[in-house]
């Protein structure tokens, strides 16, 4: 009887001890960069190669994987080969963004698919993956257009690269070039603060949308561009995401999640998205006007 009472006492004491709280898993983010080799304009002293080198250095510092999307028809002679050499030397993969970055809704299915094939013919020997990022994220103005392109992609063994994070980082590029030409350091500092604020707000909005829809964080895919201002800001941007609790993973890892099932073009589209209703402010022509 005494042993029984002792056992009950121990059980009661153990029940009274609060269990440790288990933290939710860290949100995951895959980094992607559009428009290799070049996303102008460039301030004096910057080039597509210097921009890629800065991006690669920031990624290496954070040990963050990334995926690039290439337009072989862009850039000046020689830039494409040099940029891709530097990108590949860092162990970074790249996919198809169309030869000339054409808008599907403006050119139609036949020309758009021809652009994909042209890019593949040029870059396939260099190791381009059969993963497509739609230029302008335009997948077709009507179901017929969308489905005809998806059929062509499926026949060619492609997957689609989704996007669930985007704060229009490209919009800071031109104002930065203008402010740099004018030597306006105060305006550049303001651009830097606004850029990081937009990134934070976008990530918060995406997480809220994901939690509301799925009661979890889907693995997020961030859309960035290889512009000069983005390269300047990348170390601070990656640090911001780290501070917000994000863990960086590869695009391939992210798209293994069931949320990205429709990035297989053999399945019904469109590609998945996290819709946020509040647009984010971005700089325009009012910044350092010419």
């Amino acid at each position: 009887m005494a042993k029984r009472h002792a056992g009950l006492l121990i059980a009661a004491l153990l029940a009274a001890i609060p269990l440790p709280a288990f933290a939710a898993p860290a949100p995951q983010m895959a980094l992607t960069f559009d428009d290799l080799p070049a996303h102008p304009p460039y301030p004096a002293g910057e080039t597509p190669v210097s921009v890629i080198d800065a991006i690669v250095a920031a990624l290496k510092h954070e040990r963050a994987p990334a995926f690039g999307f290439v337009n072989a028809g862009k850039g000046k002679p020689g830039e494409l080969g040099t940029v891709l050499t530097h990108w590949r030397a860092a162990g970074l993969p790249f996919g198809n963004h169309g030869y000339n970055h054409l808008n599907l809704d403006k050119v139609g299915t036949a020309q758009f698919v021809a652009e994909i094939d042209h890019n593949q013919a040029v870059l396939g020997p260099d190791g381009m993956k059969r993963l497509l990022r739609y230029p302008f994220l335009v997948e077709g103005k009507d179901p017929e257009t969308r489905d005809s392109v998806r059929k062509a992609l499926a026949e060619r063994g492609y997957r689609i690269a989704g996007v669930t994070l985007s704060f229009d980082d490209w919009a800071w590029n031109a104002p930065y070039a203008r402010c740099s030409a004018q030597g306006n350091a105060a305006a550049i500092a303001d651009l830097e603060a606004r850029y990081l604020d937009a990134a934070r707000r976008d990530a918060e909005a995406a997480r809220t949308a994901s939690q509301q829809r799925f009661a979890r964080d889907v693995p997020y895919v961030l859309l960035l561009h290889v512009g000069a201002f983005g390269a300047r800001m990348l170390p601070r941007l990656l640090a911001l995401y780290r501070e917000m609790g994000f863990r960086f993973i590869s695009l391939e890892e992210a798209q293994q999640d069931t949320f990205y099932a429709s990035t297989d073009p053999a399945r019904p589209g469109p590609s998945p998205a996290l819709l946020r209703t509040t647009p984010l402010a971005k700089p325009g022509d009012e910044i350092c006007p010419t």
Side-chain angles (χ1 to χ4, degrees):
M1 182 66 71
K3 288 183 178 180
R4 181 171 178 272
H5 283 305
L8 291 173
L9 178 61
I10 292 172
L13 290 172
L14 289 174
I17 299 174
L19 294 174
F22 292 97
Q28 299 174 322
M29 178 189 297
L31 305 170
T32 67
F33 292 83
D34 281 12
D35 296 357
L36 281 80
H39 187 90
Y42 295 94
E46 293 281 2
T47 68
V49 176
S50 69
V51 164
I52 287 297
D53 286 346
I55 290 172
V56 166
L59 294 172
K60 283 184 175 180
H61 184 267
E62 287 289 342
R63 298 181 180 179
F67 203 105
F69 291 93
V70 183
N71 310 109
K74 294 177 65 175
K76 297 176 182 177
E79 286 178 344
L80 174 65
T82 305
V83 164
L84 285 185
T85 296
H86 290 209
W87 187 261
R88 293 170 63 201
L92 299 172
F94 64 97
N96 201 329
H97 199 34
Y99 187 79
N100 284 309
H101 200 275
L102 299 185
N103 187 318
L104 169 58
D105 284 347
K106 293 183 178 179
V107 302
T109 299
Q111 187 174 349
F112 184 80
V113 172
E115 282 276 304
I116 295 169
D117 290 342
H118 190 182
N119 219 36
Q120 180 66 43
V122 173
L123 297 174
D126 292 326
M128 185 172 74
K129 307 293 185 183
R130 289 185 182 257
L131 192 65
L132 174 73
R133 169 67 53 72
Y134 282 90
F136 306 102
L137 302 184
V138 171
E139 298 195 14
K141 58 188 174 183
D142 52 61
E144 181 182 4
T145 301
R146 181 192 69 209
D147 294 346
S148 64
V149 172
R150 290 178 72 90
K151 181 175 183 292
L153 293 176
E155 291 170 348
R156 288 159 173 76
Y158 270 85
R159 291 292 297 263
I160 298 165
V163 174
T164 42
L165 285 174
S166 174
F167 59 96
D168 292 335
D169 69 303
W170 56 267
W172 274 262
N173 214 38
Y176 171 59
R178 294 195 302 269
C179 294
S180 294
Q182 297 171 17
N184 193 333
I188 292 174
D190 181 62
L191 286 173
E192 292 172 342
R194 292 172 63 180
Y195 182 94
L196 293 175
D197 183 63
R200 177 185 292 278
R201 289 175 181 270
D202 178 59
E204 291 172 344
R207 292 198 68 190
T208 297
S210 182
Q211 291 288 344
Q212 288 175 344
R213 288 179 60 187
F214 308 110
R216 69 182 180 99
D217 282 293
V218 303
Y220 302 96
V221 177
L222 173 64
L223 168 60
L224 297 171
H225 296 78
V226 291
F229 192 67
R232 174 188 179 95
M233 294 301 297
L234 190 57
R236 280 172 279 183
L237 180 66
L238 297 180
L240 169 67
Y241 289 135
R242 291 281 196 200
E243 290 167 6
M244 295 180 73
F246 283 98
R247 181 170 69 86
F248 300 125
I249 61 173
S250 70
L251 177 60
E252 294 91 335
E253 289 178 274
Q255 294 204 161
Q256 289 174 7
D257 191 272
T258 55
F259 174 75
Y260 292 98
S262 62
T263 60
D264 178 353
R267 294 173 176 259
S271 299
L274 289 173
L275 301 178
R276 280 94 76 196
T277 57
T278 304
L280 296 171
K282 55 181 180 288
D285 295 339
E286 79 283 358
I287 305 296
C288 298
T290 56

